[in-house]
């Protein structure tokens, strides 16, 4: 188990935080937990988790290959959760892009719960 702090900014070790969801050992209990784990999945380049946690009806718009390429082409710096409700999360993801330029992805994400699983539906950014 890794003692590295989790990428999501929780202050917990990765092994006791988002890694539990990414590896399927536990289900994300809230939309915010899922969003944080998806950020961590970008940081560790786990495209399968990102694709599987996208709402099933939206998956056709995404490919694991494209997700992986985007995850790998950026250096993930920090996640800042600005506001969370039961089904929405507003956040800023800080990263360095492939041109070594600092970027901020600011998004209002929407999530749905189906069959006791949370899924990313879409977002405005």
């Amino acid at each position: 188990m890794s003692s590295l702090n989790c990428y999501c900014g929780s202050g917990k070790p990765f092994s006791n935080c988002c890694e539990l969801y990414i590896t399927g050992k536990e289900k994300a209990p809230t939309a915010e937990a899922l969003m944080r784990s998806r950020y961590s999945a970008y940081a560790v380049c786990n495209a399968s988790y990102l694709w599987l946690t996208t709402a099933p009806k939206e998956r056709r718009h995404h490919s694991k290959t494209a997700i992986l390429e985007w995850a790998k082409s950026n250096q993930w710096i920090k996640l800042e959760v600005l506001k969370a409700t039961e089904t929405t999360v507003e956040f800023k993801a800080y990263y360095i892009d492939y041109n070594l330029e600092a970027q901020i992805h600011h998004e209002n994400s929407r999530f749905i719960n189906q069959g006791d699983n949370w899924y990313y539906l879409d977002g405005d950014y």
Side-chain angles (χ1 to χ4, degrees), residues 19-58:
E19 187 177 42
L20 296 170
Y21 310 133
I22 293 169
T23 59
K25 291 178 182 167
E26 292 183 15
K27 293 180 181 181
T30 64
E32 181 179 348
L34 180 68
M35 188 260 126
R36 287 178 175 277
S37 69
R38 286 175 55 87
Y39 174 85
S40 292
Y42 276 109
V44 299
C45 300
N46 190 320
S48 293
Y49 180 77
L50 291 160
W51 190 80
L52 288 171
T53 56
T54 298
K57 70 179 186 174
E58 297 297 321

Side-chain angles (χ1 to χ4, degrees), residues 11 18-19 22-23 61 79 82 99-100 124:
C18 292
E19 187 177 42
I22 293 169
T23 59
H61 302 295
L79 174 67
L82 303 173
N99 290 321
L100 302 178
D124 298 318

